[in-house]
Amino acid sequence: MEKHWWQEAVVYQVYPRSFQDTNDDGVGDLNGVIEHLDYIKKLGADVIWLNPIYKSPNDDNGYDIADYEQIMAEFGNMADFDRLLKQVHAKKLKIMMDLVVNHTSDEHHWFVESRKNRLNDYRDYYIWRDPKNDQEPNNWQSAFGGSAWQFDEKTGQYYLHLFSKKQPDLNWDNEKVRHSVFDVMRFWLDKGVDGFRMDVINLISKPEGLPDVKTEGQENLAANGPHVHDYLKEMNQEVLSHYDVMTVGETPAASTRDAIRYTGFDSHELEMVFQFEHMGLDGNENPVIGKWSTNQVKLTDLKQVMSKWQTDLNGKAWNALYWNNHDQPRVVSRFGNDQDEFRVASAKMLGATLHFMQGTPYIYQGEELGMTNANFKTLNQYKDIESLNAYHELVDQKKLVSSSQMLAYLRHSSRDNARTPMQWDATKNAGFTNGTPWIEVNANYKQINAKQAVNDDQSVFNFYRRMNLLRKQYDVIVYGDYQLLDPDDDQVWAYTRHLDNQDLLIISNFTERTVQRWYDLSQQSNKIELLSNYEDDQNETLRPYECKVYLIQ
Ligand code: GLC
Ligand code: CA
């Protein structure tokens, strides 16, 4: 197998709006990212993925882009960006931009033109359809609730928006759209950025004839459409292949088969994808309610899904490893235990379980501190369009869910759980801002913050730092084959990795109980403990959330 720098790298995701405010307006900014580059470096990450920083009316926090070549005023300006990029490179870090090209903002000049009249040069940049029997052209639902179609009085047609109505979908079947997107990519690559995270990139090719979905709550049919591979190959050939960069596609509803087509070592499309199967395991039993639930994931399900991705892609394609991001609740609250007694141990255990799998690990800002869900009590604390729309749809309109039940769902599943400000220290607003933060700071910042963690050898931060160092030391961590042990064990996740004459054994107790387990490996005599979240090794006794990583050679 050929080796690549992006396989050995660790990515740190920065959500700039909630990272660091430097001008007291309550919103994080690019200068705030510059301020903390040494922190990211100290953690041992190699690449920064920046969520969208482009000009945007912020209907969906920057995922609705009005100009791909300008910086959002709240975040700074292009001079700030150029300075950030220079300092990132000076510190031997890399930067990955968020490329959001399934849709634009309705305020992008392409759309402003497109909606003017049916003959406009930009009309076919978007997906316009006539009404069908005076109604929407099909029954697709927007990911943020309601129909995916918006009627535009002026020209008497509907336009498609898989997300909010301020995010019209681009028409990728139009060659001019593809070339315009490629120009945007070159603009950033020629500045020197090191790659792209591509937003919902497997939704760009819509199915022929835009047929109705058959069952309510079904994922929209736009995923993995008929020409998606042609368009990505074209993008690769025209643009990406001319630069040494890294790409990761966000691909909801992609199977391992799809992923192998997107990221296969000979596919010439993308380097890796963010798959969603493990994120869907604790969703509601009722498909109409969708992701909203208070369900706890079953360990056997989580193991089965993650292990399938490990083995199906092995030797053929590459995994992106993540537990959370700006769209998902905090992992320590979701798959671990965020109560004082177990928070640190379970956050470390989850980190190790993920980072020792095969793939490129992604750390979402604050994950390295064991930051927890927001624990908001009232609806007005939420800012996220998805959360607010879901509340109105499920509680007020459909009356499917009671208000208190929905608030419980939001505490468990809302994207805002991950969007509370980064907790830097124990001072006012966790050191995030001197102004009023755009979203409330988590009340637990006095205990959980970077200043405390960096100085505490036993912190989650220093555990992550050690993992990142080990990755640079042992090839087996990056390239080894994965094998799951005991798939039916519903308390412990144990697996091995193997490369040449090196083996790893990873054992994680996912419960708050002490359990006994042992795993028989042929040459246990040469076993070295590389990492653990307890001070001593009690062999077959696994204490609450204990994890250990052994090297066997
Ligand atoms: C992706 C982004 C999410 C955004 C959506 C629409 O899923 O991660 O934050 O709302 O796409 O762009
Ligand atoms: Ca600011």
Side-chain angles (χ1 to χ4, degrees):
M1 182 170 58
E2 228 184 291
K3 295 180 174 176
H4 303 95
W5 63 265
W6 41 264
Q7 294 174 295
E8 296 172 14
V10 171
V11 183
Y12 187 81
Q13 181 189 350
V14 171
Y15 192 71
R17 174 166 295 272
S18 301
F19 198 58
Q20 177 72 64
D21 175 24
T22 59
N23 64 348
D24 302 350
D25 66 353
V27 176
D29 41 55
L30 294 180
N31 285 328
V33 182
I34 296 177
E35 253 181 39
H36 293 293
L37 292 178
D38 286 335
Y39 171 83
I40 297 171
K41 188 77 191 168
K42 181 172 220 155
L43 179 62
D46 308 284
V47 180
I48 297 169
W49 155 26
L50 269 190
N51 283 98
I53 57 163
Y54 319 95
K55 185 176 176 190
S56 165
N58 282 310
D59 192 46
D60 183 21
N61 288 6
Y63 281 92
D64 46 321
I65 297 170
D67 188 333
Y68 290 102
E69 297 178 8
Q70 279 192 56
I71 302 294
M72 188 190 300
E74 286 174 304
F75 286 0
N77 55 40
M78 199 56 90
D80 297 331
F81 179 81
D82 292 339
R83 203 152 19 89
L84 169 63
L85 183 61
K86 210 163 151 199
Q87 298 208 19
V88 161
H89 287 162
K91 292 185 194 298
K92 303 255 176 314
L93 292 164
K94 292 180 189 283
I95 211 159
M96 219 189 338
M97 305 294 283
D98 213 315
L99 186 73
V100 188
V101 289
N102 173 69
H103 44 267
T104 67
S105 164
D106 64 341
E107 298 181 28
H108 193 289
H109 86 91
W110 299 338
F111 192 75
V112 172
E113 285 299 317
S114 185
R115 80 193 316 177
K116 280 185 179 161
N117 60 65
R118 294 192 187 199
L119 298 175
N120 189 281
D121 283 351
Y122 288 91
R123 187 65 173 180
D124 287 339
Y125 264 55
Y126 296 86
I127 302 173
W128 293 97
R129 289 291 182 278
D130 287 328
K132 209 166 154 184
N133 309 321
D134 285 336
Q135 294 198 326
E136 288 82 13
N138 71 23
N139 67 358
W140 292 8
Q141 296 289 298
S142 141
F144 297 153
S147 169
W149 294 95
Q150 176 69 21
F151 189 66
D152 206 44
E153 292 289 346
K154 186 142 189 241
T155 55
Q157 286 189 313
Y158 286 90
Y159 65 85
L160 179 69
H161 61 90
L162 296 179
F163 295 89
S164 99
K165 60 175 190 277
K166 286 185 67 63
Q167 294 168 297
D169 279 55
L170 284 165
N171 172 20
W172 274 71
D173 296 333
N174 179 353
E175 195 184 7
K176 286 191 193 148
V177 166
R178 304 202 295 277
H179 288 156
S180 297
V181 169
F182 300 162
D183 284 343
V184 167
M185 294 173 73
R186 287 189 200 100
F187 172 85
W188 290 99
L189 290 167
D190 291 340
K191 270 189 178 291
V193 307
D194 305 286
F196 295 109
R197 175 268 187 187
M198 301 189 190
D199 193 61
V200 290
I201 197 67
N202 66 331
L203 306 188
I204 58 176
S205 171
K206 311 318 192 231
E208 215 63 58
L210 307 179
D212 279 339
V213 294
K214 294 286 179 279
T215 43
E216 213 184 342
Q218 191 187 344
E219 284 269 2
N220 74 63
L221 292 177
N224 312 306
H227 303 295
V228 66
H229 296 288
D230 303 334
Y231 298 157
L232 290 177
K233 283 191 164 59
E234 181 183 341
M235 176 195 279
N236 192 297
Q237 203 180 349
E238 299 257 322
V239 187
L240 295 168
S241 61
H242 302 282
Y243 303 83
D244 179 20
V245 292
M246 150 176 184
T247 56
V248 51
E250 188 204 23
T251 56
S255 65
T256 55
R257 266 185 65 196
D258 296 320
I260 291 168
R261 291 192 65 187
Y262 290 120
T263 69
F265 293 128
D266 325 300
S267 296
H268 304 293
E269 294 185 20
L270 303 170
E271 265 77 67
M272 56 191 112
V273 294
F274 290 127
Q275 59 92 10
F276 277 72
E277 264 189 89
H278 62 313
M279 292 287 115
L281 294 172
D282 53 6
N284 203 288
E285 295 71 22
N286 180 347
V288 179
I289 300 179
K291 69 177 250 183
W292 306 103
S293 84
T294 49
N295 293 339
Q296 284 305 302
V297 79
K298 268 172 60 190
L299 179 62
T300 44
D301 292 344
L302 189 60
K303 291 194 319 192
Q304 189 268 326
V305 165
M306 295 297 279
S307 302
K308 177 182 67 182
W309 279 82
Q310 289 289 298
T311 47
D312 285 6
L313 267 55
N314 188 34
K316 301 190 182 116
W318 196 248
N319 273 289
L321 305 170
Y322 76 100
W323 280 146
N324 45 202
N325 58 38
H326 65 292
D327 292 330
Q328 300 293 341
R330 292 279 179 184
V331 69
V332 71
S333 302
R334 188 181 193 177
F335 300 152
N337 187 325
D338 64 11
Q339 300 308 298
D340 284 349
E341 199 183 346
F342 299 121
R343 185 184 63 83
V344 169
S346 69
K348 291 176 183 172
M349 181 281 287
L350 287 162
T353 309
L354 189 76
H355 282 231
F356 288 94
M357 288 189 222
Q358 190 190 68
T360 299
Y362 288 72
I363 303 168
Y364 177 64
Q365 68 180 48
E367 177 188 336
E368 76 284 7
L369 305 176
M371 274 179 63
T372 67
N373 277 354
N375 204 16
F376 289 158
K377 300 286 188 288
T378 60
L379 188 62
N380 63 18
Q381 292 174 290
Y382 290 92
K383 308 292 170 205
D384 169 33
I385 181 171
E386 181 191 54
S387 304
L388 297 173
N389 286 6
Y391 183 96
H392 293 304
E393 181 164 309
L394 297 172
V395 178
D396 301 336
Q397 291 160 18
K398 296 189 175 161
K399 306 209 185 316
L400 262 176
V401 178
S402 72
S403 166
S404 63
Q405 180 67 70
M406 191 65 203
L407 286 171
Y409 288 166
L410 291 173
R411 271 194 296 280
H412 186 265
S413 316
S414 169
R415 307 198 294 185
D416 279 342
N417 285 308
R419 297 178 180 185
T420 62
M422 181 70 179
Q423 293 164 207
W424 293 109
D425 57 37
T427 65
K428 188 165 168 254
N429 295 324
F432 165 69
T433 182
N434 294 318
T436 308
W438 71 276
I439 188 170
E440 274 176 48
V441 175
N442 193 311
N444 61 22
Y445 71 90
K446 292 206 168 120
Q447 295 81 54
I448 306 174
N449 61 65
K451 187 163 182 206
Q452 183 281 327
V454 168
N455 295 319
D456 172 1
D457 191 54
Q458 298 306 310
S459 67
V460 182
F461 179 92
N462 280 307
F463 186 89
Y464 269 67
R465 195 175 55 78
R466 273 178 214 119
M467 291 198 296
N468 294 338
L469 287 171
L470 287 169
R471 187 175 182 83
K472 302 285 180 274
Q473 241 175 305
Y474 296 100
D475 268 4
V476 60
I477 298 174
V478 179
Y479 297 106
D481 295 344
Y482 169 101
Q483 195 187 348
L484 176 64
L485 305 177
D486 217 345
D488 299 326
D489 190 327
D490 59 7
Q491 298 178 310
V492 176
W493 186 343
Y495 64 86
T496 59
R497 302 284 305 285
H498 170 76
L499 182 77
D500 304 328
N501 56 355
Q502 283 186 349
D503 288 271
L504 294 176
L505 170 62
I506 294 91
I507 307 172
S508 298
N509 178 1
F510 269 69
T511 74
E512 56 183 64
R513 291 172 296 281
T514 296
V515 298
Q516 308 281 326
R517 292 290 186 285
W518 189 238
Y519 297 91
D520 199 27
L521 281 185
S522 41
Q523 305 135 323
Q524 275 168 23
S525 47
N526 299 320
K527 157 168 94 48
I528 311 165
E529 191 181 86
L530 289 184
L531 194 66
S532 163
N533 57 354
Y534 277 80
E535 269 175 33
D536 59 331
D537 186 356
Q538 298 191 356
N539 299 313
E540 60 270 31
T541 301
L542 300 174
R543 287 152 287 188
Y545 299 104
E546 181 160 1
C547 71
K548 9 194 198 191
V549 180
Y550 295 112
L551 177 72
I552 297 152
Q553 46 187 359

